Structure formats: structure tokens, C-alpha cells
Amino acid sequence: MKERIGVLCSGGDAPGMNAAIRAVVRTALYLGYEPIGIYRGYEGLISGQVTPLSASSVSGIIHRGGTILGAGRSPRFLTPEGRKAAYETLQKHNIQKIILIGGDGTFKGAKVFLDEYPDLQILGLPGTIDNDLYGTDLTIGFDTAVNIAVEAVDRLRDTAAAMGRLFLVEVMGRDSGFIALYTAVACGAEAVLIPETPTDFEAIVRVLERGWQRQKTSAIIIVAEGDEAGGALQVAAQLEQRFPHYEIRATVLGHIQRGGNPTATDRILASKLGAVAVERLHEGASGAMLGVQNGEVVLTPFFRAVKAHQPVNPLLLKLVEILSL
Ligand code: F6P
């Protein structure tokens, strides 16, 4: 009987997860393993939703968003009983090696699971649009989410300019401002509000005043969902009182940023990390997340990957300020 490798997606889905599943399945087959799909993340592991995957079961998915395995968060996996049930599923189906595709909640769970059941061998792939994991320059899904946000803001810029309005655009990122910052730089936004830095309303009003003085007809401010000033609607309400010159509108992009075809960057990243994860499992690695740093694939232990967020680049923050002159 062939040795098995299980694969699951956990947490919020991210574009590129399918490309990662495809890479895991086909590399596993290439190295002589039997790949097993686990549905709906840790929840499916607990309830035993597993099925063998063939090379053709992952045909035609590299370009598709979402995940054929389903994703989700599992409150039951936070309990010792839930993890015991998950372990029993793995034993029943003779699976010892597992690849998890997810974000920090996924890897926190994996760390506890491995502490309790050290006979398992687990590696993780960074699958989240938030790009907030320590140990990788990019997470799978981030590039696609940024491109979706950029396209949306470009459209809003047209109507903002035509109508002479200020738009507050809220992008995803509960604890992280990466999507907001990259979108702000790529769209030439007047300002960006992110959870990693304190929001200074006076500074934003000054930027808007400066633009108004030099006859700017419209303005765009990007707000990360997790900024301490609140979402785009709250920030709009506050700015209305301080800066009455433009009509103000707020747009929340929401989950639209998580859907649709992954970009080439995400497909390539997912394919590379998926394949290398299987190779590393084959060589005996465990307890770590794979990532790319300066183009190289690196492994970061789960406890470190979830301990700290990747820091935001101060140069990009400064760029938003300078280039909005
Ligand atoms: O972690 C990915 C993410 O899309 C965050 O940016 C966002 O805050 C959160 O998930 C939304 O979660 P849900 O899909 O449960 O509403």
C-alpha cells in the first residue's frame, strides 16, 4: 500500500488555493504517494470527510478561485476532543503526512495538534489574501486580492473625478494593512489608513487641504477594514465634519476581493510552494510553514510564523505621502 499525503484548506479561502492543491496532488503522485483530499478544513478532518484524489481530479482548476476542497474555520478543532477526533480520522485512513493551506489560525491549530500528536508530520502553505504571515514575502492570494482592489479603485477614480468627490474605499484586512497599502501605492491614493500605524486625522485633513488648494478635483483614501478609526463609513462620517469641500462617498469592497481567477503570480507561487512542500515532507520535514523570501523557498516553524506579523514596509507608507502631493 502506498503512503498517503493529506491536503486541506483552512481559514478564509484565497485565490490560488486550487493551484496549490493541484501541485500537492501531482507532486505526491510523482513521488509515489497517494494524495488524499480533506474537505472543509479541520472540520472535515474531525468528521471524516476524506477522499483520494487523482491527477485528473485536479484538472482544470489552476485558474479557478475558491478551493475545490472547501475551506472554513473550526471551533471544534480548538478543543482537545475535536483534535482527538481529527487524529482518529487520520489514523483510520492511514494518513500521517499532511499539508495545510491557510493562515495564522490554521498554523496555530497545527502547532497544538503536533504537540499533542508528534507522530504526525505536518507542513503548511501560506494561503491568505492578507499577506500577514511572518516567514514569507508573499502569501498565496494576496497578489490577486490587490489586483482586484486596484481595478475597483481605478473605476472609482473615474467617477470620483467626474463628480468631484472624495471616496473612502475599504479593503479587507482585519489585522493587517497590506492590501490597503499596496492598493494605495498602485492607485495613487491621497492617503491610506492601516492598523499597523496610528491614524492621524489632522494629517489626512492637511493632505486633503493641500490637494484642494492646488485644484485637485477629487481624492481617494484607502481604509483597511481593521484600522482603529473604523471602516470607510465611520471615517467618511468623521471627515465630512472636518473637510466639507468635497462630497464624500464610501465603498466597501468586501469579499469580492477573495473571488475570481488567481493572477499568474499567485498561480506560480502556489505551484512552487505546493510542490516543494511535498518534497520536504518526503525528506522528513514537519512543523513548519513554507514561504518565499528573496525568491528562495524557506521553512519557518509554525510557532514563529504565527508569533509576529510581517512588518509593513515604511518606504511604501512614505511613498503614499510623497506621491500624493
Ligand atoms: O483572512 C482573510 C480575510 O479575508 C480577512 O481579510 C477578513 O478580515 C476576513 O478574512 C473575513 O472573514 P470572513 O470571510 O469570515 O468574513
Side-chain angles (χ1 to χ4, degrees):
M1 193 175 158
K2 284 183 177 174
E3 202 183 337
R4 294 178 150 186
I5 293 185
V7 56
L8 65 79
C9 298
S10 162
D13 56 286
M17 281 182 163
N18 277 328
I21 295 166
R22 172 179 176 270
V24 167
V25 168
R26 294 199 171 163
T27 310
L29 290 166
Y30 182 81
L31 291 178
Y33 289 94
E34 183 181 11
I36 307 289
I38 300 158
Y39 290 89
R40 293 177 43 247
Y42 288 135
E43 213 34 50
L45 195 54
I46 292 169
S47 51
Q49 295 179 57
V50 304
T51 194
L53 296 172
S54 63
S56 58
S57 65
V58 291
S59 291
I61 65 166
I62 192 169
H63 63 293
R64 282 178 43 203
T67 150
I68 59 163
L69 293 178
R73 304 183 177 95
S74 168
R76 282 203 289 167
F77 196 73
L78 298 175
T79 66
E81 299 74 32
R83 292 191 294 275
K84 183 166 179 285
Y87 182 70
E88 282 163 6
T89 299
L90 291 168
Q91 284 208 309
K92 182 172 162 205
H93 294 275
N94 206 19
I95 305 167
Q96 204 187 1
K97 293 177 163 54
I98 313 150
I99 293 178
L100 311 169
I101 312 171
D104 59 356
T106 306
F107 303 141
K108 276 180 190 146
K111 159 99 183 57
V112 179
F113 198 34
L114 264 179
D115 287 345
E116 289 169 349
Y117 303 102
D119 53 316
L120 296 175
Q121 216 195 317
I122 307 179
L123 288 177
L125 303 184
T128 165
I129 63 166
D130 290 346
N131 204 41
D132 56 351
L133 291 166
Y134 184 80
T136 188
D137 295 339
L138 276 181
T139 57
I140 297 164
F142 172 67
D143 187 66
T144 306
V146 169
N147 277 287
I148 293 168
V150 166
E151 193 196 325
V153 175
D154 287 348
R155 288 168 192 263
L156 292 170
R157 175 75 81 181
D158 289 346
T159 174
M163 303 289 285
R165 284 173 170 164
L166 162 61
F167 265 84
L168 280 303
V169 187
E170 182 178 313
V171 298
M172 273 190 162
R174 215 172 4 209
D175 312 304
S176 137
F178 275 91
I179 298 176
L181 185 55
Y182 277 59
T183 304
V185 174
C187 295
E190 273 63 28
V192 61
L193 279 58
I194 58 174
E196 290 87 346
T197 57
T199 293
D200 178 355
F201 265 99
E202 297 313 314
I204 294 167
V205 171
R206 278 199 299 278
V207 167
L208 293 172
E209 272 302 343
R210 189 181 61 191
W212 183 258
Q213 298 304 331
R214 69 163 195 85
Q215 272 91 47
K216 271 200 183 183
T217 56
S218 62
I220 303 275
I221 296 180
I222 310 293
V223 185
E225 144 187 46
D227 187 74
E228 78 277 9
L233 291 162
Q234 286 97 309
V235 177
Q238 290 190 56
L239 277 180
E240 247 157 25
Q241 291 159 16
R242 295 297 322 279
F243 193 82
H245 315 37
Y246 294 126
E247 262 189 89
I248 301 186
R249 294 288 185 272
T251 300
V252 179
L253 295 187
H255 289 80
I256 201 159
Q257 293 157 97
R258 286 223 309 245
N261 297 350
T263 59
T265 297
D266 274 329
R267 297 180 201 190
I268 294 165
L269 177 68
S271 301
K272 187 155 106 176
L273 293 181
V276 177
V278 176
E279 285 169 3
R280 295 288 179 274
L281 268 187
H282 181 65
E283 291 160 7
S286 180
M289 181 196 85
L290 281 83
V292 273
Q293 285 178 334
N294 302 319
E296 298 292 322
V297 176
V298 293
L299 267 71
T300 303
F302 287 140
F303 75 87
R304 201 167 293 148
V306 299
K307 204 159 135 193
H309 277 186
Q310 190 189 166
V312 290
N313 184 339
L315 172 68
L316 290 183
L317 267 176
K318 192 73 189 159
L319 267 185
V320 176
E321 190 192 324
I322 296 172
L323 301 184
S324 68
L325 265 182

